[in-house]
């Protein structure tokens, strides 16, 4: 089996043309016609991840985040991106990323995974790209759905913390109304806050809010910032399940390395 067969399968679920303009998903390093030995799945790609792939005899790393977002003018190892790319090339390890295209699909997407973890039903894309559909489904950013029951805000935050295995979370002022309708977006999601308010969500779960952006909740919604890595951590399991259920002639491994660059005291 060659690498391109895995790429084609993943793109049948989340086509590469569904990625955002700023993104750089797809095959970044490697020969698409190379025979697959084993596959390592990760959220990010670092030198440690490449070393782990070597140890597991993997010649393909499938990550959510691309290691390269913008053009590299030099390859002299001056930063972690260059060092990682150099190490992958020297080790003959291909690097493939499935990023905002996986964010933007409903079925088997990043946001569906989060919604299932916290127990949402009647889910739909929060902000569809109305001009694009995939097997009849809307494509777009974020997700919105409902809980089985009303939660008091503090009760729901504890539920969120437990279901997403969070060490901590940041949130705006708790409002005096129950939580039933939940909007969410894996990764950086400030751009969907107003859409969440417009659709009468009681809480918006995402990451990477800046200080002044918390004020934009405007006592209309609760913002729960759970962290970028934390919001997307289960994407590793998602991709692993897709690959392992489809292909049986090689081993697929979830990384055991925590690539979150943020530490908590």
């Amino acid at each position: 089996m060659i690498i391109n067969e895995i790429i084609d399968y993943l793109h049948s679920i989340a086509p590469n043309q569904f990625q955002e303009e700023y993104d750089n998903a797809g095959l970044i390093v490697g020969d698409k016609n190379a025979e697959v030995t084993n596959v390592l799945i990760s959220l990010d790609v670092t030198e440690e991840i490449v070393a782990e792939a070597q140890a597991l005899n993997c010649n393909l790393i499938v990550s959510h985040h691309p290691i390269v977002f913008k053009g590299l003018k030099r390859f002299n190892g001056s930063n972690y991106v260059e060092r990682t790319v150099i190490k992958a090339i020297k080790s003959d390890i291909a690097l493939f990323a499935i990023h905002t295209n996986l964010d933007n699909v409903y079925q088997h997407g990043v946001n569906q995974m989060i919604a299932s973890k916290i127990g949402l039903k009647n889910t739909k894309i929060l902000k569809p790209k109305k001009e694009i559909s995939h097997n009849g489904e809307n494509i777009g950013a974020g997700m919105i759905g409902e809980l089985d029951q009303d939660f008091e805000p503090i009760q729901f935050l504890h539920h969120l913390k437990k279901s997403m295995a969070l060490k901590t979370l940041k949130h705006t002022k708790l409002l005096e109304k129950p939580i039933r309708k939940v909007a969410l977006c894996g990764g950086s999601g400030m751009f969907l806050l107003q859409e969440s308010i417009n659709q009468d969500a009681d809480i918006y779960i995402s990451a990477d809010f800046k200080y002044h952006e918390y004020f934009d909740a405007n006592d209309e919604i609760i913002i729960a910032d759970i962290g970028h890595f934390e919001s997307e951590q289960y994407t590793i399991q998602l991709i692993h399940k897709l690959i392992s259920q489809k292909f049986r002639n090689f081993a697929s491994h979830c990384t055991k390395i925590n690539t979150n660059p943020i530490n908590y005291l």
Side-chain angles (χ1 to χ4, degrees):
M1 170 168 289
I2 63 173
I3 288 172
N4 201 48
E5 293 177 70
I6 299 173
I7 292 174
D8 284 345
Y9 169 65
L10 292 175
H11 280 165
S12 73
I13 295 165
N16 208 39
Q17 63 265 30
F18 291 169
Q19 67 177 298
E20 299 296 330
E21 289 184 2
Y22 67 83
D23 203 2
N24 190 39
L27 186 64
I28 296 170
V29 170
D31 178 6
K32 66 181 181 180
N33 294 312
E35 290 287 329
V36 178
T37 54
N38 298 313
V39 178
L40 180 64
I41 299 146
S42 63
L43 193 64
D44 308 288
V45 183
T46 64
E47 293 171 89
E48 283 185 294
I49 294 290
V50 176
E52 184 182 25
Q54 286 178 303
L56 293 169
N57 191 34
C58 298
N59 69 338
L60 172 63
I61 297 172
V62 177
S63 67
H64 185 45
H65 297 143
I67 179 62
V68 178
F69 268 104
K70 55 187 177 181
L72 299 177
K73 295 183 178 180
R74 293 177 176 82
F75 291 87
N76 56 26
S78 62
N79 57 57
Y80 89 95
V81 174
E82 293 177 8
R83 290 192 297 271
T84 301
V85 170
I86 290 169
K87 189 176 183 69
I89 293 172
K90 284 185 175 181
S91 306
D92 201 21
I93 294 174
L95 305 180
F96 172 79
I98 184 165
H99 189 212
T100 53
N101 44 327
L102 194 62
D103 291 333
N104 281 333
V105 295
Y106 176 84
Q107 191 69 23
H108 303 305
V110 172
N111 294 310
Q112 187 190 55
M113 187 71 170
I114 300 170
S116 68
K117 283 286 181 182
I118 62 179
L120 295 189
K121 62 180 184 179
N122 301 326
T123 55
K124 63 178 183 177
I125 296 289
L126 178 60
K127 189 173 184 180
K129 297 178 185 292
K130 297 187 184 299
E131 71 281 5
I132 302 175
S133 65
H134 181 47
N135 295 329
E137 296 175 353
N138 282 329
I139 301 302
M143 187 161 287
I144 189 165
E146 299 173 345
L147 297 161
D148 281 327
Q149 64 184 64
D150 288 349
F151 280 79
E152 290 302 313
I154 191 63
Q155 179 189 15
F156 178 74
L157 290 180
H158 283 296
H159 166 73
L160 175 62
K161 192 173 180 181
K162 181 178 180 181
S163 59
M164 292 295 291
L166 306 175
K167 293 181 180 178
T168 186
L169 62 83
K170 297 185 288 184
H171 63 84
T172 53
K173 181 175 69 175
L174 301 184
L175 305 179
E176 294 182 1
K177 62 176 183 177
I179 290 176
R180 172 67 74 98
K181 198 171 187 180
V182 178
L184 60 89
C185 179
S188 302
M190 172 59 195
F191 71 104
L192 290 175
L193 176 61
Q194 189 58 51
E195 187 66 32
S196 302
I197 294 171
N198 292 346
Q199 295 196 36
D200 298 320
D202 301 309
I203 190 167
Y204 178 48
I205 302 164
S206 193
D208 297 344
F209 288 87
K210 296 178 181 178
Y211 175 82
H212 292 284
E213 293 172 342
Y214 285 92
F215 289 103
D216 293 334
N218 200 32
D219 289 342
E220 297 177 276
I221 196 170
I222 298 169
I223 294 172
D225 186 335
I226 65 174
H228 196 123
F229 176 91
E230 289 81 2
S231 71
E232 297 181 328
Q233 60 185 310
Y234 297 109
T235 305
I236 297 170
Q237 295 176 10
L238 168 64
I239 298 171
H240 178 263
K241 183 178 180 180
L242 291 173
I243 292 176
S244 61
Q245 287 184 344
K246 175 69 175 180
F247 303 103
R248 303 288 185 179
N249 46 348
F250 57 82
S252 56
H253 304 272
C254 292
T255 181
K256 294 183 179 178
I257 296 171
N258 184 332
T259 58
N260 190 356
I262 300 171
N263 291 277
Y264 302 98
L265 181 61

